[in-house]
Amino acid sequence: MRGRTALAALALLALLALGACATGPSLENRGRVTAPPGDSRHLTVGSAGFTESDLLAQLYAQLLNRAGYRTSLLTVANRELYEPALESGQIDVVPEYAATFADWLGAKTHGADAAPVGSPDLGATMRALRALTAPRGLTVLPPGRAVDQNAFAVTAAYARRHRLRTLSDLGASGLRVRLAAGDECVQRPYCAPGLRKVYGIDVTGVDPKGVGTTQAKRAVQAGRDQMVLTTTTDATLGSFGLVLLADDRHLQNADYVVPVVNRSRAGGPGVAKALGRLNDVLTTGDLAAMNQQVDSWRRLPADVARTYLEDKGLLK
């Protein structure tokens, strides 16, 4: 992680104290979620501290600034801390991922053994997510086209040789596949078991090299493994000669990017309109390209975000 300013560090300490005692609005205060949504003119935009979250927070802040809001940014690299801060209004807006956040809130609300509510169906996932956020004084704004979900890549040469474009193609080929991934892939339903069940892929084993790590990609590049688990916004695949195979039967959950706001401070139409402008343009490919500029070209997230918004005509 990059270094933070003293101000951000002090704010983080305050959030740590908050996280030790806050789990959301108390029962006697939850009536406030039915009150008219607020429209504070000074908003704090949160980031989870990794490249993509920093970029999204910058995009949100700059769009809000253009719409007449004053913004500050705060990085808290722990959902257990920033989600209660979002409920309390210490953070007003945060970028999230629909299915992952829905499952996390489901476990927080109903216990660690709660059944997952995220699914490949975006509509069902959003309904479940909104049902979980509303009692906590939060509003989930509409998703756009950008999605960051698990994905599987092979070498471009391997794909050409076996005429593979989709995971269905790989299943139909009958090829034996050793998968470079995290060790949890052995049991996760959206990883090796799902590849076998949904696509009929002959996964012969999991090489525990992590999700999208350089080590994992090099193992596939060298032919020691045939496929790697990564994400749809991985910006480094081309440098390893890798290409994604399309999840054409929708095994993966609908982890679309969604802004989540504190209803009492940022739930009005002004914030929704400002951030909704991003939905018209931002794609998964755009996110991947911006990630690459930060991670590989060492550009600052603020500069990358500003250039993108200017190129799309959103800061005029």
Side-chain angles (χ1 to χ4, degrees), residues 41-114:
R41 306 311 293 178
H42 186 186
L43 300 173
T44 299
V45 181
S47 165
F50 56 93
T51 295
E52 188 168 291
S53 189
D54 287 345
L55 280 165
L56 289 165
Q58 287 286 348
L59 291 168
Y60 290 2
Q62 292 181 33
L63 285 171
L64 290 168
N65 289 340
R66 185 195 178 280
Y69 296 89
R70 290 187 298 121
T71 63
S72 55
L73 279 83
L74 180 63
T75 297
V76 185
N78 187 316
R79 191 178 275 117
E80 285 77 9
L81 293 178
Y82 73 67
E83 189 277 332
L86 186 61
E87 291 186 29
S88 72
Q90 289 189 261
I91 293 176
D92 302 303
V93 184
V94 71
E96 263 292 357
Y97 301 92
T100 296
F101 195 42
D103 285 344
W104 187 88
L105 280 178
K108 179 176 180 177
T109 303
H110 302 296
D113 295 330

Side-chain angles (χ1 to χ4, degrees), residues 113-133:
D113 295 330
V117 294
S119 76
D121 184 327
L122 177 59
T125 297
M126 290 297 293
R127 287 191 292 272
L129 177 56
R130 286 178 169 138
L132 287 162
T133 52

Side-chain angles (χ1 to χ4, degrees), residues 49-264:
F50 56 93
T51 295
E52 188 168 291
S53 189
D54 287 345
L55 280 165
L56 289 165
Q58 287 286 348
L59 291 168
Y60 290 2
Q62 292 181 33
L63 285 171
L64 290 168
N65 289 340
R66 185 195 178 280
Y69 296 89
R70 290 187 298 121
T71 63
S72 55
L73 279 83
L74 180 63
T75 297
V76 185
N78 187 316
R79 191 178 275 117
E80 285 77 9
L81 293 178
Y82 73 67
E83 189 277 332
L86 186 61
E87 291 186 29
S88 72
Q90 289 189 261
I91 293 176
D92 302 303
V93 184
V94 71
E96 263 292 357
Y97 301 92
T100 296
F101 195 42
D103 285 344
W104 187 88
L105 280 178
K108 179 176 180 177
T109 303
H110 302 296
D113 295 330
V117 294
S119 76
D121 184 327
L122 177 59
T125 297
M126 290 297 293
R127 287 191 292 272
L129 177 56
R130 286 178 169 138
L132 287 162
T133 52
R136 296 179 176 277
L138 307 178
T139 297
V140 183
L141 300 182
R145 292 179 286 166
V147 58
D148 186 353
Q149 59 192 174
N150 286 345
F152 298 92
V154 299
T155 66
Y158 185 86
R160 285 194 302 270
R161 184 164 63 250
H162 299 291
R163 299 182 181 180
L164 307 177
R165 291 189 302 172
T166 68
L167 290 170
S168 288
D169 293 339
L170 182 56
S173 73
L175 292 165
R176 292 163 61 86
V177 174
R178 190 167 185 251
L179 178 62
D183 54 8
E184 70 278 4
C185 179
V186 173
Q187 296 180 320
R188 292 282 174 88
Y190 305 113
C191 202
L195 292 173
R196 294 186 182 105
K197 181 179 180 180
V198 174
Y199 288 106
I201 296 172
D202 184 8
V203 179
T204 61
V206 172
D207 187 6
K209 285 185 165 56
V211 179
T213 63
T214 297
Q215 185 184 21
K217 291 170 189 170
R218 284 178 176 163
V220 176
Q221 185 182 39
R224 294 189 296 274
D225 299 326
Q226 287 71 52
M227 189 161 67
V228 60
L229 170 62
T230 183
T231 66
T232 51
T233 59
D234 188 329
T236 67
L237 293 177
S239 62
F240 292 92
L242 304 176
V243 294
L244 293 179
L245 296 182
D247 180 21
D248 54 309
R249 295 183 185 173
H250 307 293
L251 170 63
Q252 302 304 320
N253 277 345
D255 255 333
Y256 284 74
V257 174
V258 290
V260 183
V261 304
N262 178 288
R263 177 183 170 88
S264 66

